[in-house]
Amino acid sequence: AAMLRSIFYPERIEFRRQSPDHRYEPVTGGCPAGKVSTWRCRPVMKSRPARIFGNRRSPTRRLALAVAMVAVATCVGFGLAEGLTRLFLPAFDPSGRFEFDYPRGSLMLGRPGTTSRQVKNTGDYDVAVAINRHGLRDTKDIAEATRDDLIVVGDSFTWGWGVEVGERFSDRVQTATERRAFNLATPTNLDGYEALLAYAETLGAKIGQVVLSVCIENDIRFYGPQPGKPASSARPASVPDEDDRWSDALDRLDDGIDDVRQWLTEWSAAYVLLTTVVHQTPWLKAAAVQMGLIDPNLRWISEAPYPPEMVESSAAKLQILSERYRLLVVLIPSRALWAGKHREAEDRIHASLVASLRKRGVKVVDLRPSFEAGGAPLELHFANDGHWNARGHKMAAEAIADCLKAAAEACR
């Protein structure tokens, strides 16, 4: 406060004395000391600059100064926290964390030739990620693939989210079948899987057996025009009511908050440290969940089950791929089969997808029976992340390898 006051109101003092008739005259050299005078001598404000915020005692000015001080203190404090965290706790520096930031057409791959880490602030995983020259997480070069090799295609499950390279089901299948298995994966959907296969072919790969994993939680959607609706059709515009406007405003606010969180996660070591402490301290995490700052892992599971037409559209897309490639579809069961309020609907969706694929002549490995055989399928996933842990990959690899080796009933 004193610093800001000296900036806005520097006191330049001169001495004056007052005569009996109340006139003031300057006194050179200050008031005389130890002398009796009929004139009273006192220091007064000589001059001051124009007031920037209006009246000195104005509430507006005091509020503006308070806001300025809080802003300055916050910036300085955050800067110190950020610098000290990066200096003494470099493990929380997000600059060394993995990101999919290498665009190839419609795909987003890893940056070629880089080595980084993938870390979850809940403590679920902290693994090394090495990306080859094609933007893929594989020690083998997809350009060298032959028709005798396995091409394992999929999204983040297949990519190996949260596990080391050797723990992924693709690498385990390679060991079990004694056939080279190339990992061709990135977070995407069925259209993206088709693009990944095309990308491999442009690099010179010869595509033989394709093992394509389908994540039922997010790969099921409409592919191409919706049944009974021309591609150019559009819903008629409607005038939003007041509730819609409020809902849109809240959605925009949520999106803005998510963007800020994402930015802090990618750039701030102090924020990563703070969230790690909160997530790994039970009472702090419980309080954050209670306040709505943290969403529980299974909160949004199966909020709206897929319509039958969407399931059929996805099955039709997989049939098209099976006509172009020697395809084995691996179904990754949705966690909504075992959690959430729509378990019966999810059971019907899963069964209908399996039936539709087999009816279309597509070879399928349904992992659901294998996962449920142990009695605790959710324990094959991370506690705070929807992806498989090493045990989940191991179980999936066993089912896929049995199918490939038997080539019979296991993957009918």
Side-chain angles (χ1 to χ4, degrees):
M3 178 185 69
L4 292 172
R5 187 171 183 274
S6 67
I7 293 173
F8 296 119
Y9 298 102
E11 295 183 354
R12 297 189 296 178
I13 303 300
E14 70 174 0
F15 291 95
R16 296 186 182 183
R17 60 182 179 177
Q18 184 181 16
S19 66
D21 58 356
H22 303 290
R23 290 181 293 106
Y24 286 93
E25 296 179 358
V27 177
T28 304
C31 293
K35 294 185 178 181
V36 179
S37 173
T38 58
W39 290 31
R40 292 176 294 174
C41 187
R42 67 174 184 175
V44 297
M45 184 80 75
K46 179 179 180 182
S47 64
R48 63 185 177 190
R51 291 175 180 146
I52 296 176
F53 296 109
N55 189 285
R56 178 187 296 181
R57 294 177 180 154
S58 166
T60 303
R61 177 180 175 276
R62 290 200 297 270
L63 176 62
L65 288 175
V67 170
M69 286 188 290
V70 170
V72 170
T74 301
C75 292
V76 171
F78 188 81
L80 284 173
E82 184 69 19
L84 292 174
T85 302
R86 289 174 180 264
L87 180 63
F88 294 106
L89 298 170
F92 295 98
D93 185 351
S95 61
R97 308 243 173 144
F98 175 77
E99 295 288 340
F100 291 96
D101 57 1
Y102 179 62
R104 295 295 295 175
S106 61
L107 302 170
M108 191 64 73
L109 308 177
R111 186 162 295 279
T114 59
T115 300
S116 54
R117 301 201 68 79
Q118 187 182 44
V119 183
K120 181 77 171 176
N121 56 9
T122 56
D124 287 271
Y125 49 76
D126 182 356
V127 297
V129 177
I131 303 299
N132 66 20
R133 67 191 182 100
H134 301 304
L136 304 170
R137 190 188 183 195
D138 201 346
T139 56
K140 300 177 289 297
D141 191 335
I142 189 66
E144 299 174 359
T146 69
R147 298 192 184 281
D148 294 328
D149 298 320
L150 302 175
I151 310 295
V152 185
V153 184
D155 66 353
S156 52
F157 278 86
T158 306
W159 184 86
W161 194 280
V163 298
E164 298 289 354
V165 167
E167 297 174 328
R168 297 182 301 185
F169 74 85
S170 60
D171 292 76
R172 291 178 182 272
V173 166
Q174 174 177 268
T175 302
T177 60
E178 298 181 348
R179 295 173 64 182
R180 282 198 307 177
F182 291 85
N183 190 288
L184 187 63
T186 195
T188 183
N189 54 37
L190 301 188
D191 285 334
Y193 304 154
E194 184 177 20
L196 280 168
L197 288 165
Y199 175 55
E201 289 176 317
T202 62
L203 296 174
K206 303 296 188 292
I207 306 297
Q209 177 67 62
V210 176
V211 178
L212 190 150
S213 65
V214 176
C215 178
I216 297 181
E217 281 191 31
N218 50 40
D219 281 343
I220 305 303
R221 60 185 64 190
F222 286 113
Y223 292 93
Q226 298 184 24
K229 296 183 180 180
S232 60
S233 65
R235 296 178 60 185
S238 59
V239 179
D241 57 21
E242 192 66 25
D243 290 340
D244 291 336
R245 293 191 183 97
W246 273 109
S247 179
D248 291 342
L250 290 175
D251 288 343
R252 288 195 295 272
L253 177 61
D254 287 342
D255 291 342
I257 293 174
D258 289 341
D259 290 342
V260 172
R261 285 179 174 177
Q262 183 64 28
W263 186 89
L264 289 172
T265 300
E266 293 176 1
W267 296 100
S268 172
Y271 179 79
V272 173
L273 172 61
L274 174 63
T275 55
T276 300
V277 170
V278 171
H279 275 285
Q280 298 188 30
T281 306
W283 69 269
L284 284 176
K285 182 177 179 180
V289 170
Q290 188 69 26
M291 291 186 291
L293 299 177
I294 296 177
D295 287 332
N297 185 36
L298 298 173
R299 179 177 179 180
W300 303 111
I301 287 293
S302 185
E303 284 296 305
Y306 301 122
E309 297 82 6
M310 193 176 289
V311 174
E312 288 299 316
S313 177
S314 302
K317 177 68 177 181
L318 290 168
Q319 181 184 6
I320 293 173
L321 291 176
S322 71
E323 293 169 354
R324 293 177 53 189
Y325 303 101
R326 184 152 41 101
L327 192 69
L328 173 63
V329 172
V330 178
L331 294 182
I332 300 174
S334 169
R335 291 170 295 161
L337 288 168
W338 315 299
K341 56 187 178 181
H342 299 295
R343 299 187 192 186
E344 292 184 2
E346 290 294 332
D347 178 70
R348 291 193 297 270
I349 290 169
H350 188 99
S352 66
L353 178 60
V354 173
S356 181
L357 288 173
R358 287 176 173 164
K359 181 181 177 181
R360 296 169 184 270
V362 179
K363 291 183 178 181
V364 179
V365 174
D366 182 7
L367 295 178
R368 181 182 180 182
S370 300
F371 277 31
E372 292 180 342
L378 288 177
E379 293 183 3
L380 301 175
H381 302 75
F382 290 111
N384 301 285
D385 189 289
H387 295 91
W388 293 335
N389 54 29
R391 287 177 55 206
H393 278 271
K394 181 175 182 294
M395 188 164 290
E398 291 172 355
I400 297 168
D402 288 345
C403 169
L404 291 170
K405 288 188 292 186
E409 189 67 20
C411 54
R412 178 173 54 84

